[in-house]
Amino acid sequence: SKTSLDNDMNKILTYSPVVFDKSIGKWQTNIGDLFATFTLELTDPIYFKRTGNHVDMCLLNHGGIRAILPQGNITTRNAFEVMPFENSLYVAELKGEAIYEMVDFLLYEKKPHPLKNIEIEVDAATNKAISIKIKGQAVDKNKIYHVATNDYLVNGGDNMEFFNKAIKKHDLDYKMRNITIDYFNKVDTLPIVNQTIYTFK
């Protein structure tokens, strides 16, 4: 019934100490940092159990976040508004050379796509990467990296054609919205994630 649906939608899941908003910030946003962080956190144990590999990094799309998270109580409705699509989570196995293409794309596009576990040092004059690290280690062009993303991007959406070079694509059968709701249920208060992805020299 409509009443029980309304009650479900109004259920308080967690508390937000600030407004999380993707329009604030040039290269990174507080909501992007939060979403990439918890997506990796919730995905890694499942992926490890299935494949014996850990997730190395996460890349989501700026355009996929469709609302703000207000300061104060966060409800199921907020989770549906922020993630209205039926996207599900994938892990792509990418060689280091495809990671270099990813970084070229990110620097060219200049959009604050949500990222986790990657650090990019950029030559400010040329806007090209000087160094790329994943989990604190320099990216090796021949090594395979396990990248958490969504079904839309893994199929080359938003012009992310480097995902077409994936050696393997793993469907974790876990909707992005459900990851969001599961995480909101897990924490009393949403953390403010302070991470530095891009350093300009």
Side-chain angles (χ1 to χ4, degrees), residues 10 12 21 23 34 37 69 72 82 116 124 159 176 192 198:
N10 294 330
I12 295 166
D21 185 341
S23 70
L34 174 70
T37 298
L69 290 173
V82 82
K116 184 70 182 177
N159 301 315
M176 301 303 296
I192 296 159
Y198 300 94

Side-chain angles (χ1 to χ4, degrees), residues 80-93:
F80 271 81
E81 285 169 354
V82 82
M83 284 273 147
F85 306 117
E86 297 297 317
N87 288 112
S88 52
L89 194 107
Y90 268 73
V91 177
E93 295 186 31

Side-chain angles (χ1 to χ4, degrees), residues 12-190:
I12 295 166
L13 307 180
T14 189
Y15 176 82
S16 178
V18 296
V19 175
F20 284 92
D21 185 341
K22 74 169 189 177
S23 70
I24 300 168
K26 185 180 176 200
W27 288 91
Q28 286 174 254
T29 68
N30 65 355
I31 197 168
D33 286 347
L34 174 70
F35 272 68
T37 298
F38 72 65
T39 297
L40 193 142
E41 188 183 305
L42 268 65
T43 305
D44 183 59
I46 301 167
Y47 188 66
F48 183 69
K49 205 170 150 185
R50 289 205 196 161
T51 66
N53 291 305
H54 284 288
V55 179
D56 294 305
M57 65 162 289
C58 180
L59 165 62
L60 302 172
N61 51 325
H62 181 67
I65 297 169
R66 304 304 281 202
I68 65 158
L69 290 173
Q71 186 176 10
N73 290 333
I74 300 296
T75 62
T76 309
R77 180 174 282 105
N78 293 124
F80 271 81
E81 285 169 354
V82 82
M83 284 273 147
F85 306 117
E86 297 297 317
N87 288 112
S88 52
L89 194 107
Y90 268 73
V91 177
E93 295 186 31
L94 291 180
K95 276 182 85 168
E97 57 193 12
I99 302 287
Y100 275 82
E101 287 183 29
M102 173 197 292
V103 170
D104 284 345
F105 171 84
L106 292 169
L107 292 174
Y108 170 78
E109 226 199 19
K110 296 189 167 85
K111 270 190 193 163
H113 293 298
L115 289 160
K116 184 70 182 177
N117 278 4
I118 186 167
E119 293 164 67
I120 304 160
E121 210 174 280
V122 187
D123 180 329
T126 62
N127 199 43
K128 294 282 178 225
I130 302 164
S131 83
I132 307 167
K133 289 179 178 169
I134 289 178
K135 287 182 172 169
Q137 301 289 316
V139 170
D140 174 343
K141 288 195 173 179
N142 296 307
K143 198 181 152 196
I144 290 173
Y145 295 91
H146 302 265
V147 182
T149 189
N150 62 41
D151 54 356
Y152 171 65
L153 297 184
V154 90
N155 293 311
D158 278 1
N159 301 315
M160 295 200 190
E161 288 167 15
F162 48 86
F163 277 119
N164 297 333
K165 297 195 170 169
I167 292 158
K168 248 182 167 176
K169 299 174 183 183
H170 304 264
D171 179 2
L172 292 204
D173 197 29
Y174 196 178
K175 282 200 169 34
M176 301 303 296
R177 183 192 303 129
N178 293 344
I179 292 173
T180 305
I181 290 169
D182 289 349
Y183 180 75
F184 288 177
N185 271 317
K186 196 174 117 164
V187 294
D188 294 329
T189 304
L190 294 177

